[in-house]
Structures are given as structure tokens and as C-alpha cells.
Amino acid sequence: MNRKQSILGIMLSCAVLGACYLTKPQTVNAAPASMFTPIIRDIKNQIPRGWVMRLPSSVNISNTKLYPQVITTIPGEFALFLNSQPNCMSRSCYFGVIAVAKYSEYADNLRSKHIFSKTYMQRVRAIRQRDPQTRTESEIKLLISSDMAVLERTTITLKPGIQGVFIVQNGGGASTPPSLHVFWKQDGLNYRATIKGGFDYDRSVAIQSQKSALINLAISMAKESPIKSAN
């Protein structure tokens, strides 16, 4: 090997080593989204002993600013409401929730509930557009069975070894709109992320942008380090 070939070999080796160094995976500990900073202490002080909470590093589920609020009044669950106004208890402010529970009958029920088909939803929509006095008994039963029904259920991967389920749930009348959920088990606990709305009744499908945003939020939660109780 002559001198020119030797120098070229050294340059190529350095280039390869440099590339390897630059592309070496870096360990990054993402922090919870800044919106949660004012309530981190409240979370640590109020979450039940032995439980942990996971917060997403980003929250991109709404075009409006959201305000998290600690909620401990839901039986068996520790939750953060994501509201459109600070310190608001009105249902009109509610946009979403992230929560953790030791046991969750609600999640188990939705995991096993019969899926109300797209065809049935189209029939329900047609019935609702007619004069209520023209509805038959079977049509009324169909309307009742559609309330809070599961419209879609899809298994998703949140991180290696952690699978969840994405669920679309129909509303229960004008006061209860449809909702999108992601449920999963981690840390020996049951987690959920939920947003209000997100369903296109004209096409009888989940709105893709909101579905993706919710799943991304759940993925971020699953990947974040757990926040432990201070008690």
C-alpha cells in the first residue's frame, strides 16, 4: 500500500467512525409538558400511595390552550382534567382527561363490549333525522342501544412491550358527546387518555387527526418516567 492509499484509508476510517459517533443513540429524558408544571407538587401529594402517574411531554389534542386540573372525586381513579378554562368545573370546559387507576371496570367493560357497526350507526342517523312520532318500536330500541356504544376498537403499540387499545364510544344524547379513548396497563396500573368528540357522524368514523393526536399523547405518556407519590 503506497502513502496516498494509506492516507485515503485513514480518512475513510475517520469518516466512518465520525458517522458512527454522530448517529449513536443519545439518551434523552423528556420532561412533562410545561402546562403540568404548576400542578406537579399537587400530583405527588394527592396521588394514592404506591401509585404513579405518567404525564405526556407534549399535548397537541386541541387548537385552544388547555389547563390541567387534579381530580380525586372519581371513585377508584386519580385523574387530571384538561379544560379549556382554568379552575372550571362546568362540563362545557371539559375537553379531555388523563387518568390512572388500580382497577378499571370502565376500561374492562369497553374492552369487551359488542361493537356497534357502521351500518347500524348510519341507520341511527337516518332515524334521528326523521320526525320522532314516525319511529317504530324497533327503531326506538336501536336508538337506545346506540347510546354509549363502542363504535371502534383497535389494538395499538405504545412502546415495546406495552400494548393499548383505542376505542371510539358513541355519545349518550345531546348532553354527552362521543369520545375517543386509549386504555393500557403499565406499572401494574390502568391508564387512560380520553378526549371529547372526535367522531364524524356523516361518515360514521373517528376523525383521523384527533385519533392520531390522542394516540400520540398516550405514546408520550407511556414513554415518560413515572411520577411517584410523595406520601
Side-chain angles (χ1 to χ4, degrees):
M1 179 183 294
N2 59 34
R3 180 179 175 82
K4 185 179 293 185
Q5 289 175 321
S6 178
I7 293 174
L8 178 60
I10 292 172
M11 291 175 63
L12 288 173
S13 297
C14 290
V16 170
L17 290 172
C20 290
Y21 174 77
L22 291 174
T23 57
K24 182 180 179 180
Q26 301 295 309
T27 300
V28 178
N29 293 320
S34 59
M35 66 184 290
F36 298 110
T37 302
I39 63 169
I40 294 292
R41 180 176 293 179
D42 290 338
I43 293 172
K44 292 181 177 180
N45 289 336
Q46 296 186 54
I47 192 170
R49 180 180 298 178
W51 292 23
V52 296
M53 185 61 170
R54 291 174 177 271
L55 302 177
S57 59
S58 62
V59 179
N60 299 310
I61 56 174
S62 173
N63 292 326
T64 61
K65 185 176 181 179
L66 296 176
Y67 301 86
Q69 184 173 350
V70 175
I71 302 294
T72 58
T73 55
I74 303 175
E77 188 174 65
F78 180 82
L80 301 182
F81 277 12
L82 304 178
N83 297 329
S84 58
Q85 297 179 26
N87 302 314
C88 179
M89 297 303 293
S90 170
R91 296 180 70 175
S92 62
C93 301
Y94 169 82
F95 186 83
V97 61
I98 55 178
V100 62
K102 190 70 174 179
Y103 306 103
S104 179
E105 292 184 9
Y106 180 52
D108 291 343
N109 178 51
L110 292 185
R111 288 174 185 269
S112 60
K113 206 170 185 179
H114 172 75
I115 296 178
F116 202 82
S117 74
K118 183 176 180 179
T119 300
Y120 279 143
M121 279 307 299
Q122 291 171 339
R123 285 182 57 191
V124 166
R125 184 168 180 269
I127 294 168
R128 291 193 185 282
Q129 291 176 336
R130 294 195 345 243
D131 185 338
Q133 296 184 353
T134 67
R135 297 170 185 170
T136 66
E137 184 176 344
S138 62
E139 287 176 337
I140 293 173
K141 288 182 179 179
L142 181 62
L143 292 179
I144 293 173
S145 65
S146 72
D147 285 350
M148 308 305 292
V150 170
L151 308 180
E152 179 188 341
R153 186 166 51 236
T154 307
T155 300
I156 56 176
T157 298
L158 301 179
K159 61 179 290 188
I162 301 294
Q163 280 198 321
V165 58
F166 169 79
I167 292 177
V168 181
Q169 186 176 24
N170 192 29
S175 62
T176 308
S179 53
L180 308 183
H181 308 275
V182 176
F183 298 99
W184 73 99
K185 295 184 179 182
Q186 191 175 4
D187 312 310
L189 298 165
N190 291 270
Y191 290 91
R192 76 174 172 109
T194 296
I195 59 174
K196 180 173 67 175
F199 188 72
D200 184 340
Y201 278 108
D202 290 336
R203 297 187 299 132
S204 298
V205 294
I207 298 172
Q208 186 59 46
S209 59
Q210 291 183 261
K211 176 180 179 178
S212 297
L214 179 64
I215 291 175
N216 286 337
L217 182 144
I219 289 173
S220 181
M221 286 177 63
K223 290 181 176 180
E224 274 295 299
S225 299
I227 296 175
K228 299 180 180 179
S229 168
N231 299 316

